[in-house]
Amino acid sequence: MENKIIIDIKNISKIYQMGEEKVFALRDVSLNICKNEYVAIMGPSGSGKSTLMNILGCLDTPTAGHYMFNENDVSAMDDNDLAEIRNKEIGFVFQTFNLLPRATATKNVELPLVYSGMPSADRLERALKTLENVGLADRAEHKPNELSGGQRQRVAIARALVTTPSIILADEPTGNLDSKTGEEIMKLFNDLWKKGNTIILVTHEEDIALHAGRIIRLRDGLIESDYINHKQVKYD
Amino acid sequence: MTFSEIIENIKLAYDSMRSNKVRSFLASLGVVIGISTVILMGWILSGLQSAMDDTFKIIGVDVIYIDKYDWAGGKKWKETRNRKDITLEQADDFMSLIQTAETAFPTIRDWAGTIKYENNNYKGISILGTTHHHGLTPAGETSQGRYFTPFEEDSKANVVVIGSKVASSIFPNNDALGKDIKIQGHKFMIVGVIKKQGTMMLDFIDNQVFLPLGSFIKVFGKNGRSVSIGVKAGGEEKLDVIREESRGIMRTIRNLHPSEEDDFSINETKAFESQTAQIKLYVWGVGIGMTVLSFIVGIIGIMNIMFVSVTERTKEIGIRKAIGAKSRSILFQVISEATALCIVGALISLFICSAIAYSVATILPKFVPQAEFLKPYLPMELLIIASLVSLFVGVLAGLLPALRAARLDPVEALRFE
Ligand SMILES: Nc1ncnc2c1ncn2[C@@H]1O[C@H](COP(=O)(O)OP(=O)(O)O)[C@@H](O)[C@H]1O
Ligand SMILES: [Mg+2]
């Protein structure tokens, strides 16, 4: 169980054709991620971190290579199947939160369940429970502009968690937060990891990356290094 | 797509409309105008149609009129003018020869007679001499008093049955019965008033008075007037038989050689119908033109707003796709919104048109009696048509913006600011 491979990519490339020129966002990247791993993807700006994350999250498809997700061949899936995988198996957390501005925290958290067809009473119950788990039970009826940055990111995390996905993908989740709030969010990720969640974290900040148990460094679309982080921040 | 998702989309469409009230209103204005045109046009036409139907029923859809002249103007005026008059004797012969008719009645007419009551003259009233058989047809049904009797007919009594328009213009207090009026200097007593029958341009049929045939001849003489013979078939299906029988009898009476053409016309209420059909065609033509135009404007308006709305919400669409919305969910969401705009437009139209129909139909006839045919409510089938049309327009107007939204690449859309 501990070693079950969730993500298995082989020779993934992503090439953007910019006029005459080809931009290699990813070159022949191969990697495995197991259940309940906590992985940080690091690298300078433009090294391909977001591209990799979008591919892992089934938002984007590679130009070449193979991707097995939970033993399903993602490379062979159409848009519809990918949407379903995103809905059921993947929870996204973005740097800019990406909440719907006109919807309350509860409605935002309910949204993935709308697309999985859950009846509205069950949806509400699940959303409230998940908000409670991220410490926002008292903000359920607030709209994003009535919440602080840290609170918005908690709503976004609740939205990612509400479908109990196989992995949580977070692209620079503390990028728009002050360091104290950022630290609180990292504590929340640590809790989630301890509860058995699989987390992939994209960051360019060293001290944020130190929260992960494994660090993968990218440079120019290539994996530069991939190692166990012995100095993991564990809040024990 | 699940039921809860459909409900969610409808709520979304509603929210989006509420948060953009002015824009939504402007967007649906074209649709409001389009649907209002359709409804009002249908309202007028249906009023017209049912008024016509009522009138035709009374004149008799199963009655033919054998006449020197052709009502529909199908024959050349000159040609019919040179025909010999149909004489009273010929009419009598016809009456005794016709077999299958329910009833038949000769009429002889003075087109623009004058009636004198007390010291006032009333001009332009059609004065007819006929038999009591006319009183047995719907056209002779009285609302007050009675038709003249066979006895009054035989004795050439000075009695008269007057049309409703004549009654209302001479006797505004509704007390015509028993009064004496003067026709060509002869006193006639009013024994009956005929039910109101006409509508619109057919209201001349209420502006007639009926005398016993003998009394008419006594007053006007019988020369220089062609008799018209009304023949009631007793059912529309018997019209063909009656028409052929009547033609045969008339040809015999008029001594026509087989090679000669008819020197009389057989007229039917269909002649009126073809005239009103032309009016209806005209109303439809103008109406359809306006409708198509305003729907094009409406569709373009809504499509435009939806394109703006989709562009504005590119990021939102990206978010929805990232958390698992399928393309068809997005497609449905945008189409729902466009359709909701159209349905709101349709509701506004229904409200406006109901108000117009009610107030016009209750107020206008007081000033313009010809407007009496208008009904103070909208026909049910129009409401159904309006709803279907608004659905159709919504789907049509929403389709292209919805396709654009559905095809957005989630990564690109998320990057949109
Ligand atoms: N849509 C795109 N079109 C062209 N080039 C792109 C596109 N997306 C990313 N790239 C290029 O791919 C490379 C990797 O980008 P990205 O994955 O966003 O890097 P990071 O997230 O590490 O900053 C960059 O050189 C970037 O310019
Ligand atoms: Mg990036």
Side-chain angles (χ1 to χ4, degrees):
Chain A
M1 192 69 191
E2 215 22 53
N3 284 328
K4 188 191 171 212
I5 293 173
I6 293 183
I7 285 174
D8 177 7
I9 58 173
K10 281 203 178 68
N11 309 109
I12 290 278
S13 292
K14 182 74 183 181
I15 303 164
Y16 291 106
Q17 191 78 45
M18 302 296 284
E20 296 283 281
E21 217 179 317
K22 280 183 177 168
V23 178
F24 283 78
L26 292 173
R27 304 166 197 257
D28 251 1
V29 174
S30 299
L31 112 112
N32 289 341
I33 293 173
C34 296
K35 190 170 163 50
N36 199 214
E37 270 199 276
Y38 189 171
V39 182
I41 298 175
M42 292 206 66
S45 179
S47 57
K49 304 185 292 293
S50 295
T51 305
L52 179 59
M53 203 193 86
N54 289 338
I55 289 173
L56 294 181
C58 301
L59 268 180
D60 208 350
T61 45
T63 315
H66 277 283
Y67 180 10
M68 298 293 284
F69 182 92
N70 264 344
E71 289 157 7
N72 295 311
D73 188 355
V74 174
S75 328
M77 287 183 181
D78 63 13
D79 282 355
N80 240 352
D81 297 335
L82 292 177
E84 202 152 325
I85 292 261
R86 291 200 293 273
N87 183 243
K88 300 212 158 59
E89 306 286 347
I90 292 158
F92 284 104
V93 179
F94 303 95
Q95 178 175 358
T96 52
F97 320 132
N98 286 348
L99 299 174
L100 298 187
R102 286 195 307 245
T104 61
T106 315
K107 285 281 169 202
N108 266 293
V109 177
E110 274 186 48
L111 204 54
L113 302 177
V114 170
Y115 291 117
S116 59
M118 186 182 278
S120 71
D122 301 351
R123 241 160 42 202
L124 182 64
E125 198 189 317
R126 276 278 277 280
L128 289 174
K129 193 141 183 287
T130 315
L131 276 172
E132 196 183 310
N133 289 346
V134 299
L136 277 183
D138 55 336
R139 295 286 187 275
E141 289 313 304
H142 289 237
K143 291 193 175 160
N145 62 4
E146 299 158 352
L147 298 170
S148 71
Q151 287 169 334
R152 288 182 210 182
Q153 198 58 299
R154 282 170 193 273
V155 175
I157 292 169
R159 183 181 64 189
L161 288 171
V162 77
T163 54
T164 57
S166 301
I167 52 169
I168 292 165
L169 293 174
D171 193 352
E172 311 259 13
T174 59
N176 272 19
L177 302 174
D178 61 67
S179 54
K180 184 171 167 289
T181 317
E183 191 59 32
E184 283 165 18
I185 292 298
M186 292 322 293
K187 169 96 172 54
L188 178 56
F189 276 119
N190 191 270
D191 291 344
L192 297 176
W193 170 61
K194 281 179 182 161
K195 281 182 193 160
N197 283 290
T198 311
I199 298 171
I200 301 174
L201 175 76
V202 168
T203 183
H204 62 275
E205 294 174 73
E206 295 291 343
D207 51 340
I208 295 295
L210 286 178
H211 290 79
R214 173 179 166 194
I215 296 175
I216 298 172
R217 288 180 190 274
L218 290 182
R219 184 176 293 275
D220 295 332
L222 287 166
I223 294 183
E224 187 184 50
S225 61
D226 181 350
Y227 59 93
I228 305 293
N229 173 25
H230 296 292
K231 294 181 277 184
Q232 186 180 13
V233 184
K234 282 184 177 162
Y235 300 98
D236 300 315
Chain B
M1 199 159 336
T2 61
F3 180 70
S4 67
E5 200 185 321
I6 291 171
I7 298 288
E8 208 60 27
N9 270 324
I10 291 165
K11 282 192 205 152
L12 269 175
Y14 174 73
D15 284 346
S16 155
M17 252 188 304
R18 266 183 27 155
S19 57
N20 282 308
K21 284 195 196 76
V22 175
R23 195 163 88 180
S24 306
F25 173 73
L26 290 177
S28 57
L29 208 56
V31 173
V32 170
I33 294 169
I35 293 179
S36 299
T37 320
V38 177
I39 293 176
L40 289 179
M41 192 178 65
W43 170 61
I44 292 172
L45 285 175
S46 79
L48 205 59
Q49 181 66 59
S50 66
M52 293 293 161
D53 289 348
D54 290 349
T55 305
F56 291 145
K57 229 171 272 163
I58 292 164
I59 303 175
V61 279
D62 65 337
V63 181
I64 57 173
Y65 293 86
I66 299 160
D67 205 319
K68 176 177 166 183
Y69 300 104
D70 194 294
W71 293 356
K75 295 277 185 318
K76 285 205 185 76
W77 173 247
K78 218 167 125 188
E79 184 190 321
T80 56
R81 198 187 49 184
N82 290 334
R83 285 171 173 173
K84 277 189 236 137
D85 286 345
I86 299 173
T87 65
L88 273 170
E89 290 72 26
Q90 288 174 342
D92 274 346
D93 288 348
F94 181 90
M95 306 281 280
S96 53
L97 289 171
I98 188 88
Q99 301 271 322
T100 43
E102 186 181 299
T103 181
F105 49 93
T107 56
I108 183 165
R109 179 191 293 263
D110 189 72
W111 278 103
T114 301
I115 288 176
K116 193 171 176 191
Y117 177 67
E118 292 179 334
N119 284 321
N120 298 318
N121 282 316
Y122 300 89
K123 292 192 174 140
I125 295 168
S126 213
I127 297 164
L128 289 91
T130 184
T131 65
H132 68 279
H133 298 102
H134 177 253
L136 303 175
T137 67
E141 224 174 281
T142 53
S143 61
Q144 293 173 44
R146 56 173 177 81
Y147 212 82
F148 54 75
T149 61
F151 178 74
E152 285 166 332
E153 195 181 313
D154 291 343
S155 61
K156 299 172 187 156
N158 281 8
V159 290
V160 60
V161 182
I162 65 176
S164 66
K165 197 173 168 199
V166 179
S168 62
S169 52
I170 306 183
F171 304 98
N173 295 330
N174 204 17
D175 52 358
L177 282 188
K179 296 272 162 45
D180 286 331
I181 54 174
K182 276 189 172 166
I183 299 170
Q184 294 283 95
H186 295 255
K187 234 200 239 172
F188 277 85
M189 189 178 76
I190 299 168
V191 293
V193 176
I194 292 187
K195 254 178 35 190
K196 178 165 172 37
Q197 303 174 346
T199 22
M200 294 278 290
M201 61 277 184
L202 291 180
D203 74 346
F204 70 85
I205 68 169
D206 292 317
N207 205 26
Q208 311 185 111
V209 301
F210 301 90
L211 316 178
L213 194 58
S215 315
F216 182 94
I217 295 165
K218 206 169 67 186
V219 172
F220 291 95
K222 65 175 172 181
N223 292 329
R225 286 176 204 280
S226 182
V227 180
S228 164
I229 307 165
V231 186
K232 189 173 192 314
E236 263 188 280
E237 70 286 354
K238 296 180 186 153
L239 268 176
D240 288 339
V241 174
I242 282 291
R243 198 185 298 113
E244 284 322 303
E245 187 185 350
S246 302
R247 167 171 291 129
I249 294 172
M250 278 310 286
R251 289 184 66 89
T252 312
I253 292 173
R254 307 271 272 182
N255 285 322
L256 294 178
H257 190 267
S259 66
E260 285 176 293
E261 267 187 55
D262 289 353
D263 62 351
F264 53 89
S265 289
I266 295 181
N267 297 303
E268 290 171 44
T269 49
K270 289 224 171 61
F272 290 115
E273 271 184 280
S274 67
Q275 274 173 13
T276 53
Q278 217 150 23
I279 296 173
K280 280 194 270 184
L281 205 68
Y282 181 72
V283 176
W284 269 115
V286 173
I288 285 175
M290 280 172 67
T291 308
V292 167
L293 206 71
S294 44
F295 273 131
I296 291 174
V297 173
I299 289 174
I300 291 175
I302 288 188
M303 199 185 303
N304 212 27
I305 294 289
M306 293 316 296
F307 269 127
V308 171
S309 160
V310 164
T311 306
E312 272 180 4
R313 289 189 298 178
T314 301
K315 179 129 191 173
E316 176 189 323
I317 292 162
I319 295 170
R320 289 178 184 276
K321 286 197 154 188
I323 61 175
K326 295 183 174 140
S327 292
R328 61 169 182 264
S329 303
I330 304 292
L331 191 81
F332 185 72
Q333 184 189 333
V334 177
I335 288 180
S336 305
E337 204 173 313
T339 307
L341 282 174
C342 290
I343 289 174
V344 167
L347 288 177
I348 295 174
S349 308
L350 288 183
F351 183 76
I352 292 174
C353 292
S354 301
I356 290 177
Y358 182 77
S359 45
V360 169
T362 48
I363 296 168
L364 191 63
K366 289 179 185 151
F367 303 99
V368 188
Q370 281 85 348
E372 225 169 38
F373 70 94
L374 293 170
K375 293 183 198 132
Y377 54 86
L378 303 174
M380 194 61 193
E381 62 267 24
L382 276 182
L383 307 187
I384 295 167
I385 290 174
S387 325
L388 291 180
V389 164
S390 68
L391 277 177
F392 175 73
V393 167
V395 172
L396 210 64
L399 195 60
L400 287 182
L403 281 174
R404 180 195 277 186
R407 285 184 188 148
L408 280 174
D409 175 54
V411 178
E412 300 279 334
L414 277 171
R415 213 180 281 142
F416 185 89
E417 283 308 326

